[in-house]
Amino acid sequence: MIFEQQSKSFISALGLDVGSKRIGLAGCDGTGLIATGITTIERRSFQDDVEQIQQILNDRQVQVLVVGLPYSMDGSLGFQARQVQKFAKRLAKAVQLPVEYVDERLTSFQAEQMLIAENRSPSRHKGLIDRKAAALILQQWLDARRSNSNRSAAFVDD
């Protein structure tokens, strides 16, 4: 019975760090606890991007797209954030999945810092930065989702 409840609450999500040249992709493990980078797509055309993403969606039985939204430091939606939203909406429609957004401010910076800590050159590993940033975006979403479900469960217990 406990297993049934866990499988019902489990959701397969795909994290996306959408840039103008590349899209970093991340997935979560079977428990929905840990996000890891999957791959980086070099962008060519919208149709190409969709085809490559669709293959991963099918392989991983993804139920929701989690897209990092690059808010400006003041919290507003700038040009790049609007471009990402436009792409995400088109992608969600093309693959027929819901999309959720996560504030991705500083995720690429954090990913670069992780590479530096591993003694790797950020300028030589752009695709890896995008994958790590996608994993950070997805991890943030997974953590928020878990903390919300824990909070509502705790609220019910009271």
Side-chain angles (χ1 to χ4, degrees):
M1 180 150 161
I2 291 171
F3 179 73
E4 276 181 46
Q5 285 180 318
Q6 284 178 335
S7 66
K8 283 180 187 171
S9 67
F10 170 73
I11 188 161
S12 179
L14 185 71
L16 292 91
D17 179 38
V18 180
S20 56
K21 295 180 183 173
R22 289 175 305 279
I23 301 171
L25 300 172
C28 50
D29 66 336
T31 63
L33 295 175
I34 302 166
T36 52
I38 300 172
T39 190
T40 303
I41 293 174
E42 297 290 331
R43 297 190 68 183
R44 289 186 276 280
S45 70
F46 179 75
Q47 195 54 47
D48 251 12
D49 298 346
V50 169
E51 285 172 19
Q52 291 182 70
I53 292 168
Q54 185 68 64
Q55 184 63 51
I56 292 164
L57 297 176
N58 294 343
D59 292 347
R60 299 183 72 89
Q61 299 176 336
V62 171
Q63 298 161 289
V64 63
L65 303 171
V66 178
V67 177
L69 206 53
Y71 286 90
S72 300
M73 290 316 263
D74 67 2
S76 65
L77 286 178
F79 175 77
Q80 187 60 31
R82 286 192 297 275
Q83 292 300 106
V84 169
Q85 271 185 322
K86 187 174 157 185
F87 173 82
K89 285 177 185 169
R90 283 182 70 198
L91 176 64
K93 187 176 180 185
V95 300
Q96 299 182 331
L97 283 175
V99 64
E100 293 194 25
Y101 297 101
V102 170
D103 182 350
E104 72 148 29
R105 278 180 283 193
L106 302 178
T107 54
S108 292
F109 175 76
Q110 286 174 301
E112 282 183 31
Q113 295 305 304
M114 291 163 85
L115 279 186
I116 291 167
E118 295 167 5
N119 291 322
R120 292 169 134 175
S121 164
S123 61
R124 290 199 191 136
H125 297 91
K126 296 286 189 195
L128 186 54
I129 290 171
D130 296 331
R131 277 196 300 281
K132 283 185 181 282
L136 289 166
I137 289 163
L138 184 55
Q139 190 65 57
Q140 192 178 328
W141 183 83
L142 290 169
D143 293 347
R145 190 171 181 273
R146 197 168 48 254
S147 99
N148 286 343
S149 70
N150 288 346
R151 210 172 300 132
S152 60
F155 181 76
V156 171
D157 289 343
D158 286 338

